[in-house]
Amino acid sequence: MLLKYFLARLARWKDIFPQERTHRRAVALTLGLVGGLGRRTITRALCFLGWQNKDWATSYRVFSRSPWSSAELFTPVLKESVRDWLPAHGPIALALDDTGLPRTGKKIKTAGWQRDPMSPPFHVNLRWGLRFLQASILLPLYRRDPAQSARAVPVRFAECPVVKRPKKNAGDDERAAWRQARKTHNLSTRFVAVLQEQRQRLDALGYKARLLLGLGDGSFCNRTVFRAAWERIALVCRCRKDLRLCFRHAGKGRFYAKKTFKPEEVYDDPSIPWREARIYHGGKRRVVRYKEVRGVLWRGGAGRKSLRLIVVAPTTYRKLKHGRTYQRQRAYLLTTDETTPVKQLLQPYFDRFQIEYNHRDEKDILGVGQAQVWADKSVPRQPELVVAAYALLLLAGLAAYGPGRTTDYVSLPKWRRRARRPSCQDLVNLLRQQIDAAARTGAAPDSDFAQMIIRAAA
């Protein structure tokens, strides 16, 4: 039963909250925020729980006053993911990516203008909102069920506000402090901090011998990330095709060789042989061609750190079963790991796209960022709690019914009956049904499905 497994995982938050009553209220609000209908505000969550005639101030104080750490909410997620769904050996892959949550309040201190991802490429639009950095652990479910793809489960959701620009009449000292703050408080430094934090959490869980693999897109392939002090952490980041790389100088008197080359030149170089690896991608295992160059130096980025360049040939795909064949773009990867086999680096890179599904589920289905909270502590805490609950819901579904989509879920419409795995919406629908069934027997909050719909339409 999904509700039983979900509540059992929410019970692991007991030591995070200062009091037992705070934990019970946080669990109840989590059920309301995840299972509610309509906009996922705290008011809708209270109506879902049948608390519309009770004092609502205490529920808001869970986020604005209660002393608890939002980072600790993800510790049970990381522990269960590594213990139950990862192989006993090999690197632990974390996909990291930033995402924005639109807001409207101009008095939110950490909100700012950001690029609207829905704007057309020929006209960039701006929107007011919050910026977060998410880290998701990649679970290779295809190892247990060949019909299932990987699954990304969030293990961290950290706020990354942009440093506010000083006003026009600000002094020189204030502008100098702002320029220094931009160097120490940005998305790249937060990327480094989150990876190092996850390394410490894995060490505390007893996985000191496991390598942590951090996967990032091209925005994290920069000097700040590659020159950081990494210990038992390897990076795999997509780089530009015109990046200036070189080898170490063979003689004396200098470190870098004079001759430089670009990643796209490696792709076109016939002297470097193509190699093949079988990668699970697009529902089955496919042969992927790649080239590998070791001992690469990136003078402007990584400095004297030795890197490895991996050039991946474009893979073919069809939009229709008997349609024309298309090709994806080439991929150029830079990694600080020079010992791990290439296949163990390429497979997580192909699985990294699963974090985009996390962003979609969190915003479109769970309504992360829709709660009307304004307190300084509540602004980041409420989205982080919902994302942690989303991670526990994914693990509860895996533990209850396995990675595949079984008959326990609500039947799909006719145009979508080929789904192999349960979506987040499938899990939420099943959770609502079981909450409704438990409410009728008196084992859940005083609410039924008809009342849910009425309150959502209010």
Side-chain angles (χ1 to χ4, degrees):
M1 189 175 186
L2 180 62
L3 179 60
K4 176 182 177 181
Y5 281 87
F6 187 43
L7 291 175
R9 279 150 182 81
L10 292 176
R12 299 171 186 172
W13 288 354
K14 185 176 182 180
D15 297 334
I16 300 174
F17 294 92
Q19 296 178 337
E20 184 179 356
R21 62 179 182 179
T22 308
H23 171 251
R24 292 199 302 266
R25 185 172 292 272
V27 170
L29 288 173
T30 301
L31 289 176
L33 291 170
V34 173
L37 294 170
R39 287 180 61 83
R40 302 306 173 88
T41 61
I42 297 180
T43 304
R44 290 282 177 89
L46 296 177
C47 293
F48 177 84
L49 298 170
W51 293 357
Q52 63 271 17
N53 295 323
K54 298 182 180 180
D55 181 25
W56 60 84
T58 309
S59 299
Y60 280 89
R61 293 192 188 109
V62 172
F63 302 100
S64 62
R65 294 188 182 182
S66 181
W68 50 273
S69 173
S70 56
E72 295 295 332
L73 299 175
F74 296 93
T75 301
V77 180
L78 183 63
K79 182 178 180 180
E80 181 178 353
S81 299
V82 179
R83 181 192 62 199
D84 298 342
W85 298 101
L86 288 186
H89 304 283
I92 299 173
L94 287 185
L96 291 95
D97 196 8
D98 63 302
T99 183
L101 303 180
R103 293 299 301 267
T104 56
K106 295 300 185 291
K107 294 185 179 181
I108 301 176
K109 294 181 180 180
T110 54
W113 291 107
Q114 53 188 232
R115 179 186 177 274
D116 187 359
M118 300 303 294
S119 60
F122 55 84
H123 189 283
V124 177
N125 298 327
L126 300 178
R127 71 177 183 186
W128 185 262
L130 305 171
R131 185 176 66 175
F132 285 82
L133 177 66
Q134 177 170 319
S136 296
I137 188 169
L138 301 177
L139 308 183
L141 302 181
Y142 43 79
R143 289 178 173 267
R144 301 192 180 186
D145 187 354
Q148 301 301 321
S149 59
R151 192 96 187 195
V153 179
V155 294
R156 191 69 172 95
F157 197 69
E159 188 183 22
C160 302
V162 179
V163 180
K164 297 290 184 180
R165 181 186 293 270
K167 297 182 180 180
K168 293 182 179 180
N169 57 355
D172 295 337
D173 295 340
E174 188 175 352
R175 291 186 178 276
W178 169 70
R179 286 191 291 267
Q180 182 62 29
R182 288 183 62 187
K183 298 179 181 179
T184 57
H185 297 82
N186 53 52
L187 194 60
S188 298
T189 56
R190 194 61 168 168
F191 178 93
V192 175
V194 168
L195 260 184
Q196 292 176 344
E197 175 190 275
Q198 298 306 311
R199 177 71 270 178
Q200 295 176 0
R201 292 184 181 277
L202 289 173
D203 294 347
L205 295 175
Y207 301 103
K208 293 184 178 181
R210 303 283 293 273
L211 176 68
L212 178 60
L213 197 63
L215 306 167
D217 57 9
S219 61
F220 301 111
C221 188
N222 53 47
R223 179 196 296 259
T224 303
V225 173
F226 274 80
R227 292 201 179 186
W230 300 112
E231 182 180 356
R232 289 170 291 120
I233 299 176
L235 299 175
V236 179
C237 294
R238 192 172 68 247
C239 66
R240 303 194 317 268
K241 63 181 180 180
D242 58 347
L243 204 66
R244 288 291 181 178
L245 305 174
C246 66
F247 294 105
R248 185 168 181 176
H249 183 60
K252 298 181 180 180
R254 58 182 299 145
F255 188 82
Y256 303 100
K258 291 184 179 181
K259 184 180 179 180
T260 62
F261 62 94
K262 302 177 183 178
E264 62 180 351
E265 295 176 1
V266 175
Y267 184 91
D268 299 326
D269 190 353
S271 63
I272 303 177
W274 286 100
R275 302 179 183 181
E276 294 183 349
R278 291 187 62 83
I279 302 298
Y280 191 93
H281 176 60
K284 65 179 181 180
R285 297 195 177 271
R286 305 171 187 269
V287 177
V288 175
R289 298 191 307 139
Y290 69 92
K291 288 184 179 182
E292 177 188 8
V293 182
R294 295 174 179 266
V296 174
L297 298 176
W298 181 19
R299 186 174 183 176
R304 299 193 174 190
K305 287 185 178 180
S306 182
L307 307 176
R308 180 163 42 159
L309 174 65
I310 302 174
V311 178
V312 183
T315 57
T316 59
Y317 69 98
R318 286 189 176 95
K319 294 183 179 180
L320 301 175
K321 185 176 181 181
H322 301 290
R324 61 175 296 184
T325 302
Y326 297 88
Q327 277 195 341
R328 304 187 187 276
Q329 294 183 355
R330 307 170 182 177
Y332 305 98
L333 308 178
L334 271 183
T335 175
T336 58
D337 189 344
E338 292 189 296
T339 59
T340 303
V342 177
K343 183 178 179 180
Q344 295 185 18
L345 301 178
L346 284 179
Q347 184 63 72
Y349 168 75
F350 276 85
D351 296 341
R352 182 191 173 276
F353 190 76
Q354 297 293 325
I355 194 174
E356 302 295 340
Y357 299 142
N358 289 157
H359 295 332
R360 180 198 61 188
D361 294 343
E362 292 158 4
K363 298 176 187 180
D364 296 346
I365 300 177
L366 299 181
V368 174
Q370 294 179 1
Q372 302 300 302
V373 290
W374 315 104
D376 294 345
K377 288 186 177 180
S378 301
V379 169
R381 274 181 167 185
Q382 196 276 337
E384 289 169 354
L385 183 136
V386 177
V387 173
Y390 164 63
L392 292 178
L393 182 63
L394 293 179
L395 293 178
L398 290 174
Y401 309 110
R405 196 182 195 284
T406 62
T407 56
D408 299 289
Y409 295 95
V410 181
S411 59
L412 290 173
K414 186 176 181 179
W415 59 83
R416 215 187 134 246
R417 289 181 181 174
R418 293 184 179 180
R420 296 181 178 180
R421 73 174 186 181
S423 64
C424 177
Q425 188 65 62
D426 292 333
L427 293 171
V428 171
N429 290 339
L430 185 59
L431 185 68
R432 287 170 179 164
Q433 282 192 352
Q434 295 182 2
I435 290 176
D436 180 45
R440 297 179 186 276
T441 59
D446 186 15
S447 179
D448 54 60
F449 197 75
Q451 290 298 320
M452 295 179 203
I453 299 176
I454 294 174
R455 290 162 187 160

